[in-house]
Amino acid sequence: GRDMSITANDLIDIYPEITKEAILTISELQGTDYCRRSGEKPGRIHTEYREIYNSNTLGAISKFGLSLASKILWRNGWKSYTNYFSSDTTPLYIKTVYNYAQKYPEILGEEIIRKNGERDTVINCVLKAAEYIESTVDSEGLIQIKEFNLAGNQFRYWRDSPSSYRDENSKLPNIAEEMVILDIQVLATYALSLAADLISKDNPEKAQHWQDLSLKIRDATIKNLWMPEHQYFAYGMDKTKRGHFKQLKTIQSNAAWML
């Protein structure tokens, strides 16, 4: 979902038909239910969708093994699986739809069939994505991320590998508890402001609420993640053994990417 949204956004002025197809596909796979095994939540955008038996690169044994693993670990089907462990896919989806709609506003009224069989429109998918983001924000304006299935991808952000997320002592952060990640804070700020703009005429009260929430997340990001001693942003925070958040002070490229 991350790579698809980013690439689709880059192709708007080059191959808009590919962007449209990507938007419709992502919308159809949007979460509709709660599942701790796969990370699915209503409105959340998927991390990965794979049609296992359509692969030409996997042998029969590998296909069976992958099917069995997905069934056990993520409670998905035998022939394909979808998981939802990434936290940046949802705001990136909103960004892509918004940018595409600036040139092709008819996309918002396009009908899709959700994976549960229900018919819906792209604009409703965007609103549900924004509502999902809203549901993750705490009273201070921090998005606290915690996955309950540790067999999923535990580094659910832009640079999604264990070697990319270390603290200043080269140790892994406390991924078993809630974390706050710079990427997600900034992308959520941006996505909520875009969603608010899309509904500003039809639902000005909701739009104003999302604009206010966007600013709240922005202010909480600056307050909690700025490192004055480095004149730079920490890439995130994790929890100590006593349950308090502490900055992860490693100088990473996340802050520059956010700019």
Side-chain angles (χ1 to χ4, degrees):
R2 174 192 305 116
D3 299 344
M4 200 172 188
S5 289
I6 292 174
T7 305
N9 187 70
D10 290 342
L11 292 176
I12 291 173
D13 295 326
I14 308 171
Y15 297 111
E17 64 277 9
I18 294 179
T19 303
K20 179 181 178 180
E21 184 178 348
I23 289 171
L24 297 178
T25 299
I26 297 171
S27 301
E28 290 171 354
L29 291 170
Q30 186 177 37
T32 59
D33 202 354
Y34 292 93
C35 179
R36 286 193 173 193
R37 290 269 189 93
S38 67
E40 180 180 0
K41 294 177 182 177
R44 195 176 195 183
I45 300 300
H46 73 288
T47 302
E48 183 181 15
Y49 170 78
R50 186 187 295 273
E51 293 184 355
I52 300 170
Y53 284 90
N54 282 354
S55 172
N56 295 322
T57 59
L58 294 176
I61 295 176
S62 297
K63 289 177 180 178
F64 176 77
L66 190 56
S67 295
L68 183 63
S70 68
K71 191 71 174 179
I72 294 172
L73 297 177
W74 305 318
R75 212 173 72 183
N76 272 253
W78 285 101
K79 294 184 178 181
S80 66
Y81 70 81
T82 312
N83 59 47
Y84 297 80
F85 297 117
S86 294
S87 295
D88 55 356
T89 52
T90 306
L92 285 169
Y93 163 75
I94 294 175
K95 172 188 174 182
T96 300
V97 175
Y98 180 89
N99 288 341
Y100 185 84
Q102 299 310 294
K103 291 196 170 186
Y104 308 98
E106 62 274 10
I107 188 66
L108 299 176
E110 286 277 347
E111 283 198 351
I112 56 99
I113 300 177
R114 293 182 173 277
K115 62 190 189 67
N116 62 1
E118 294 180 357
R119 289 186 175 274
D120 214 333
T121 59
V122 170
I123 183 60
N124 282 337
C125 293
V126 171
L127 299 184
K128 289 171 182 176
E131 288 169 355
Y132 163 72
I133 294 174
E134 180 181 358
S135 73
T136 66
V137 184
D138 69 14
S139 59
E140 187 179 353
L142 295 174
I143 299 173
Q144 298 188 27
I145 303 163
K146 180 178 180 178
E147 297 297 341
F148 294 94
N149 185 356
L150 294 181
N153 179 11
Q154 293 311 303
F155 300 89
R156 303 167 287 274
Y157 330 112
W158 173 43
R159 296 177 297 112
D160 55 358
S161 70
S163 60
S164 296
Y165 289 95
R166 300 276 173 161
D167 66 14
E168 58 272 27
N169 299 311
S170 296
K171 295 181 179 179
L172 282 173
N174 182 8
I175 61 174
E177 299 296 335
E178 290 84 357
M179 293 183 66
V180 174
I181 299 295
L182 176 68
D183 311 14
I184 311 307
Q185 291 286 123
V186 177
L187 287 171
T189 298
Y190 189 41
L192 286 175
S193 68
L194 297 181
D197 188 55
L198 287 177
I199 64 168
S200 58
K201 292 182 179 179
D202 297 329
N203 193 340
E205 290 186 4
K206 186 74 170 179
Q208 187 60 54
H209 170 67
W210 280 345
Q211 288 286 11
D212 293 342
L213 185 59
S214 172
L215 295 177
K216 186 175 185 177
I217 298 170
R218 181 201 65 180
D219 293 345
T221 303
I222 296 171
K223 175 184 175 182
N224 290 278
L225 294 175
W226 180 249
M227 300 184 292
E229 69 274 25
H230 297 297
Q231 290 293 290
Y232 202 75
F233 283 98
Y235 78 80
M237 298 190 294
D238 69 347
K239 281 193 171 180
T240 65
K241 292 181 179 179
R242 295 188 176 184
H244 302 300
F245 276 119
K246 73 176 192 316
Q247 286 183 341
L248 296 162
K249 294 180 177 291
T250 316
I251 302 298
Q252 301 273 39
S253 55
N254 304 58
W257 186 57
M258 287 296 96
L259 287 177

